[in-house]
Structure formats: C-alpha cells, structure tokens
C-alpha cells in the first residue's frame, strides 16, 4: 500500500475567510507535488441536501434534529464509497475539509447540550481525527461586516449575537479537547497572503514534518 493522504480541517465562524484560505492551501500543496482534494460540510450528498434547505430556511427542523443530521452527513462524508474522505486518504490524496465536528460543537451547542453533541460525534472522531484543525479567527463584528457586503441572502446562523456565541463555543471546545486534537488558531484579520503563508508553514511543519 502507498502512503496515506493527510486530513486537514478548516474551521471558523461564517465570514472568517476560510474558503479563500482552503483554495490557497490546496494550490500551494499541489505546487509542492502533494495530491490534494477540497471538500466541505454540510455536503451535497443525501443528508447534506436537507441541511442546506434547513440553513437557507426552506425547511424547518428542531435544533436537535439538525444536530443529528449533521452527524449523519459527517458519517456519510467519511465512509461513502464514491467520494468518501477515507477512500481518498487511502488512495494517498490529502483531503482539506471546510468544517468538521468542531462546527457541530460550536454551532449546535448553542441550542443542544454540548455533551450530547460531542457524544453523537464520537464515532466520527474515533474513525477519522484530523491531522490538523486550522481555525481562522475573526471577530463577530468583522464577520458580519463581510457577510452583509458579500451576500444577497443571510443564512440561519448569521447574526452578530449568534456568531459571538459560536466563536466562544469554538474556544471553549478547543480548551476541552486540547489533549486529543491538533488545533492551530490563526489571526484572520490580516492580508490574505500573510494568512496563507502562516497556514502553509503550519501544515508543512506540523502535518508533513518538513521545515520551511
Ligand atoms: P459555510 O458554507 O459558511 O461553511 O456555512 C455552513 C453553515 O453550516 C454554517 O453556518 C455553519 C453550519 N454548520 C453547523 O451548524 N454545524 C456543522 O456541523 C457544520 C458542518 C456546519
């Protein structure tokens, strides 16, 4: 069997700029000859489709149901035989994922007890733990400013109060999980290229064990 791919996760509140950074990291890894694929949660698979409808407001669901759907979507994302994450990793492809279980810990725990959310995600965590979780940190103020400039429609969780709570939820989950997870917080308030440079350095050194 050849080398396994790595699994790198990006997290951040809505409007943190993580999508731009994911694109740049993938390009930078490819330049270094590393096979790499981008993916995201919620997915556009069978469960993810329902989640997108809930986020846009087209469908209504109790927060507990939404939390359970995120878990089901995640397991399908990891395990499915067509484009599942494990399949790519086993094929030697590094997977960069926009959001993973820390999104559930931060977002769903606003309305559902955090212990439940963590317990429900345990199978995902035990099956596939990220080689690095990169948190692109911006304040809720900055995030809301960017969201209102760039979007026509505001999604379910996109309000100042909610994003402030979510950001706090991330930090308290990071503290709780600091012994079993590899978490890197980067300051997302700087120019795009500066942030990309720092992320590339973290990934090369900590994930691929190569000094830059
Ligand atoms: P994004 O496209 O900006 O990443 O938005 C996805 C939305 O889904 C975002 O508001 C966060 C939310 N979400 C959760 O609430 N829980 C989760 O587990 C995931 C993956 C996403």
């Amino acid at each position: 069997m050849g080398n396994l791919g790595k699994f790198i996760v990006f997290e951040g509140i809505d409007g943190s700029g993580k999508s731009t950074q994911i694109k740049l990291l993938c390009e930078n890894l490819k330049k270094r000859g590393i096979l790499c694929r981008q993916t995201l949660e919620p997915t556009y698979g069978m469960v993810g489709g329902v989640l997108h409808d809930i986020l846009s407001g087209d469908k209504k669901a109790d927060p507990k149901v939404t939390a359970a759907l995120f878990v089901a979507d995640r397991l399908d994302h990891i395990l499915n035989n067509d484009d599942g994450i494990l399949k790519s990793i086993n094929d030697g492809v590094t997977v960069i994922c926009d959001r993973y279980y820390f999104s559930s810990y931060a977002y769903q725990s606003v309305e559902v007890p955090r212990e439940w959310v963590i317990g429900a995600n345990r199978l995902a965590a035990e099956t596939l733990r990220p080689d690095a979780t990169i948190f692109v940190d911006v304040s809720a103020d900055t995030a809301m400013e960017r969201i209102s400039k760039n979007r026509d429609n505001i999604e379910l969780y996109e309000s100042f109060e909610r994003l402030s709570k979510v950001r706090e939820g991330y930090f308290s989950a990071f503290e709780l999980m600091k012994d079993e997870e590899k978490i890197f917080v980067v300051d997302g308030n700087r120019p795009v290229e500066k942030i990309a440079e720092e992320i590339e350095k973290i990934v090369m050194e900590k994930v691929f064990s190569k000094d830059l």
Side-chain angles (χ1 to χ4, degrees), residues 14 18 41-42 55 70 74 98-99 103-104 107-108 157:
D14 304 66
K18 65 185 161 45
E41 292 187 5
L55 289 168
F70 274 116
R74 184 157 299 127
D98 189 341
R99 300 191 180 281
S103 282
S104 284
Y107 283 80
Q108 274 59 61
Y157 300 135

Side-chain angles (χ1 to χ4, degrees), residues 140-202:
D141 276 321
T142 309
M144 277 313 292
E145 216 171 278
R146 289 186 188 167
I147 290 169
S148 33
K149 255 192 222 147
N150 299 334
R151 311 250 180 96
D152 298 335
N153 50 332
I154 302 284
E155 283 200 335
L156 186 63
Y157 300 135
E158 295 175 342
S159 75
F160 174 79
E161 291 72 25
R162 177 83 193 202
L163 290 186
S164 305
K165 277 197 194 142
V166 169
R167 182 168 175 272
E168 280 167 27
Y170 268 118
F171 281 108
S172 101
F174 292 157
E175 182 56 32
L176 190 72
M177 308 266 167
K178 62 177 189 288
D179 293 335
E180 62 252 53
E181 300 284 346
K182 294 176 191 122
I183 300 153
F184 303 91
V185 177
V186 302
D187 176 0
N189 296 298
R190 296 168 300 159
V192 168
E193 307 72 44
K194 279 270 165 248
I195 305 169
E197 216 174 274
E198 186 187 350
I199 291 174
E200 189 181 3
K201 193 168 158 55
I202 292 170

Side-chain angles (χ1 to χ4, degrees), residues 6-10 25 29 94-97 132 134 203 207-208:
K6 305 289 186 188
F7 182 46
I8 301 165
V9 169
F10 276 72
L25 178 64
L29 293 186
T94 286
V95 176
I96 305 182
C97 190
I134 295 164
V203 168
V207 177
F208 290 96

